[in-house]
């Protein structure tokens, strides 16, 4: 039997510790991947700071991590899409309530993943590039395609133009990078926001126009850009993105829906001042109430994305089975943003958390294993 090692979190606010972990064989619809690269998401360091406030069911010690790329080493009896030796990327869902399993966290050598949350990757694609996709891709897909969100047409190799335009606020985030590409592949025009230094980046991914989210005239400018267009809805990514998207959507014609990926506060200040948590919670509650009132009064629908809900509906198959493998192979979908590799070995996952918390610009923090 293989020996396994994991970057464990033993308690709230404890630094990660690399120690041995059990090797867990796959059940029917699962497979085990030997990870070659893992990527870090904001939720990883936020969970380290907040303990089990986001995932109240998890018990420490736990293994976090959503993004992995590696080689299949064992498949469950019901898995027919993959075989031992396949190169894959996978969205690890160990922190999901239904899974609640350290064996299914990405930050270890061998991770158990659900086969339907994985996709084969082209032989030419390095693992570190593939690892940037899973959670951001899933989150974008939940917001764009789920029936309780924007319910857009699905992406395909031959998209029919829908004649509609989507707003992606935060186009240079990992989630935004995937959202732009997915919606273009589904036949939508995309207007995005980012810093000016990333205008070319979001346009290369498929946005037709880009606006600076920090500009004092951005709301007016984006509304102007939507003149004569039919809105497909807005995907709001980034701090306070939902508030501005509500103002824009209110002034546009079309689908008055804001699908929200982010809360209105950021948590990195807690690293220095953990005592601020009650204030942040109060800010989240008060801004959620204000968003609710603002959206109801204006007749705009909103929904908060949970980037793992696709694992229980048809969107996971649409993305990980029907669309992504061929789109990656054809180069129609790229692994964006580029990886920023912080080191080799599980010992670097903590450095990865720290780097992601400090902030990135159109980059994904990755640890090579
Ligand atoms: N709900 C879910 O299930 C779920 C899942 C994953 C992520 N998220 C959330 O989605 C957000 C993005 O996550 P990520 O991993 O994609 O982030 P990320 O890649 O780490 O985001 C970095 C980017 O954020 C952009 N940015 C910073 N402040 C912004 C603002 N106020 N408005 C718009 N863009 C801003 C920066 O753009 P420039 O460099 O161009 O300035 C930078 O490129 C986070 O809030 C995260 O917590 C939610």
């Amino acid at each position: 039997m293989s020996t396994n090692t994991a970057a464990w979190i033993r308690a709230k606010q404890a630094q990660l510790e690399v120690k041995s972990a059990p090797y867990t064989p796959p059940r029917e619809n699962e497979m085990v991947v030997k990870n070659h690269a893992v990527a870090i998401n904001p939720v990883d360091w936020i969970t380290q700071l907040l303990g089990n406030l986001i995932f109240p069911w998890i018990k420490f010690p736990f293994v976090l991590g959503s993004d992995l790329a590696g080689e299949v080493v064992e498949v469950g009896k019901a898995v027919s899409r993959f075989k031992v030796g396949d190169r894959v990327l996978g969205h690890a869902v160990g922190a999901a309530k239904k899974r609640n399993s350290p064996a299914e966290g990405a930050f270890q050598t061998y991770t158990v993943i659900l086969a339907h949350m994985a996709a084969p990757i082209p032989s030419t694609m390095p693992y570190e590039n593939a690892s940037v996709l899973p959670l951001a891709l899933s989150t974008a897909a939940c917001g764009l395609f789920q029936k309780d969100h924007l319910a857009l047409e699905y992406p395909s190799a031959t998209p029919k133009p829908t004649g509609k335009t989507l707003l992606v606020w935060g186009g240079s985030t990992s989630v935004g990078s995937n959202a732009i590409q997915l919606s273009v592949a589904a036949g939508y025009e995309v207007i995005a926001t980012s810093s000016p230094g990333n205008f070319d980046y979001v346009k290369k991914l498929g946005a037709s126009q880009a606006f600076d989210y920090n500009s004092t005239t951005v709301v007016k400018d984006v509304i102007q850009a939507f003149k004569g267009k039919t809105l497909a809805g807005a995907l709001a990514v980034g701090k306070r993105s939902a508030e501005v998207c509500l103002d824009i959507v209110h002034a546009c014609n079309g689908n008055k829906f804001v699908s929200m990926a982010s809360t209105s506060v950021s948590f990195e200040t807690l690293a220095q001042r953990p005592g601020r948590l009650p204030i942040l919670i109060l800010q989240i509650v008060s801004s959620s109430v204000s968003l609710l009132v603002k959206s109801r009064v204006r007749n705009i629908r909103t929904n908060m994305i949970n980037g793992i809900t696709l694992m229980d509906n048809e969107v996971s198959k649409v993305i990980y089975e029907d669309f992504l493998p061929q789109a990656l192979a054809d180069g129609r979908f790229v692994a964006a943003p580029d990886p920023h590799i912080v080191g080799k070995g599980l010992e670097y996952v903590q450095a990865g958390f720290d780097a992601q918390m400090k902030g990135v610009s159109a980059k994904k923090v990755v640890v090579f294993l």
Side-chain angles (χ1 to χ4, degrees):
M1 182 183 287
S2 308
T3 55
N4 191 20
T5 310
W8 290 95
I9 177 158
R10 302 217 162 259
K12 175 181 167 180
Q13 286 163 21
Q15 296 282 292
L16 299 181
E17 274 177 55
V18 178
K19 291 264 161 64
S20 66
Y23 175 90
T24 307
R27 289 172 293 190
E28 273 210 325
N29 296 300
E30 301 169 348
M31 57 192 188
V32 178
V33 175
K34 181 169 195 227
N35 300 322
H36 288 281
V38 293
I40 318 295
N41 288 285
V43 70
D44 300 322
W45 57 261
I46 293 172
T47 306
Q48 185 172 43
L49 285 175
L50 300 185
N52 52 8
L53 207 67
I54 298 180
F55 308 112
W57 43 88
I58 67 173
K59 298 255 180 305
F60 295 115
F62 202 80
V63 181
L64 299 172
S66 308
D67 290 348
L68 61 83
E71 189 187 334
V72 175
V73 293
E74 207 178 340
V75 292
K77 284 197 190 76
V79 176
S80 54
R81 273 174 71 220
F82 297 98
K83 60 181 187 320
V84 171
D86 284 353
R87 302 173 82 246
V88 297
L89 60 77
H91 181 167
V93 292
K97 189 172 185 184
K98 280 188 181 168
R99 311 300 298 178
N100 190 13
S101 156
E104 298 178 52
F107 302 143
Q108 54 194 319
T109 310
Y110 294 100
T111 299
V112 176
I113 61 170
L114 291 166
H116 73 282
M117 294 293 282
I121 58 172
S123 58
T124 50
M125 177 173 277
Y127 287 121
E128 57 270 34
N129 289 75
S131 72
V132 308
L133 286 174
L135 177 62
L137 172 71
S138 289
T139 304
C142 291
L144 298 176
F145 305 120
Q146 282 187 184
K147 303 298 176 231
D148 55 345
H149 280 269
L150 295 170
L152 301 189
E153 301 294 327
Y154 290 150
S156 79
T158 50
K160 270 212 308 269
T162 60
K164 295 179 184 163
T165 308
L166 179 81
L167 172 62
V168 176
W169 191 276
S172 61
T173 62
S174 288
V175 174
S177 303
N178 283 278
I180 293 170
Q181 294 191 81
L182 285 173
S183 28
V184 169
Y188 296 84
E189 182 195 6
V190 175
I191 292 178
T193 68
S194 71
S195 287
N198 285 323
F199 283 177
D200 285 348
Y201 170 78
V202 295
K203 285 182 180 168
K204 214 166 152 201
L205 293 175
S208 62
Q209 299 182 59
F211 293 89
D212 179 3
Y213 63 83
N214 277 318
S215 155
T216 51
T217 59
V218 62
V219 170
K220 197 169 81 144
D221 298 343
V222 173
I223 291 171
Q224 182 60 33
F226 267 94
K227 284 265 146 67
K229 296 185 189 291
T230 306
L231 177 76
L235 187 76
V237 191
K239 193 171 146 187
R240 284 195 283 277
S241 54
E243 286 87 339
V244 272
C245 284
L246 280 181
D247 291 341
I248 293 167
V249 166
H250 180 55
C252 295
N253 293 317
N255 185 20
K256 293 191 180 274
F257 198 116
V258 180
S259 179
M260 308 178 291
S262 304
T263 58
S264 52
V265 302
S266 44
F267 294 95
E268 63 273 12
T269 52
L270 287 178
Q272 266 72 51
R273 298 167 63 194
R276 287 200 72 223
L277 182 58
I279 298 170
L280 290 189
I281 291 176
L282 254 173
Q283 282 174 354
I284 292 177
V285 172
S286 73
S287 64
S288 305
V289 172
S290 135
L291 274 178
L292 191 72
V293 172
K294 214 168 163 181
S295 57
R296 287 277 163 88
V297 166
R298 294 165 163 193
N299 226 354
I300 300 171
R301 286 171 302 144
T302 60
N303 201 358
M304 189 76 192
I305 304 170
N306 173 351
I308 47 182
T309 46
L310 80 171
M311 93 184 170
D312 295 320
N313 61 52
E314 74 284 359
V315 176
S316 47
K317 179 179 181 299
V318 167
I319 298 299
Y320 286 100
E321 187 172 341
D322 301 343
F323 175 71
L324 191 67
Q326 201 51 50
L328 285 178
D330 298 346
R332 280 181 286 116
F333 195 94
V334 297
D338 283 341
H340 163 61
I341 299 172
V342 290
K344 184 172 185 333
L346 288 167
E347 291 74 14
Y348 283 91
V349 176
Q350 182 64 57
F353 280 29
D354 300 343
Q356 176 17 263
M357 182 166 61
K358 265 173 86 183
V360 290
S361 179
K363 284 274 184 280
K364 188 95 188 175
V365 175
V366 166
V367 177
F368 203 70
L369 299 181

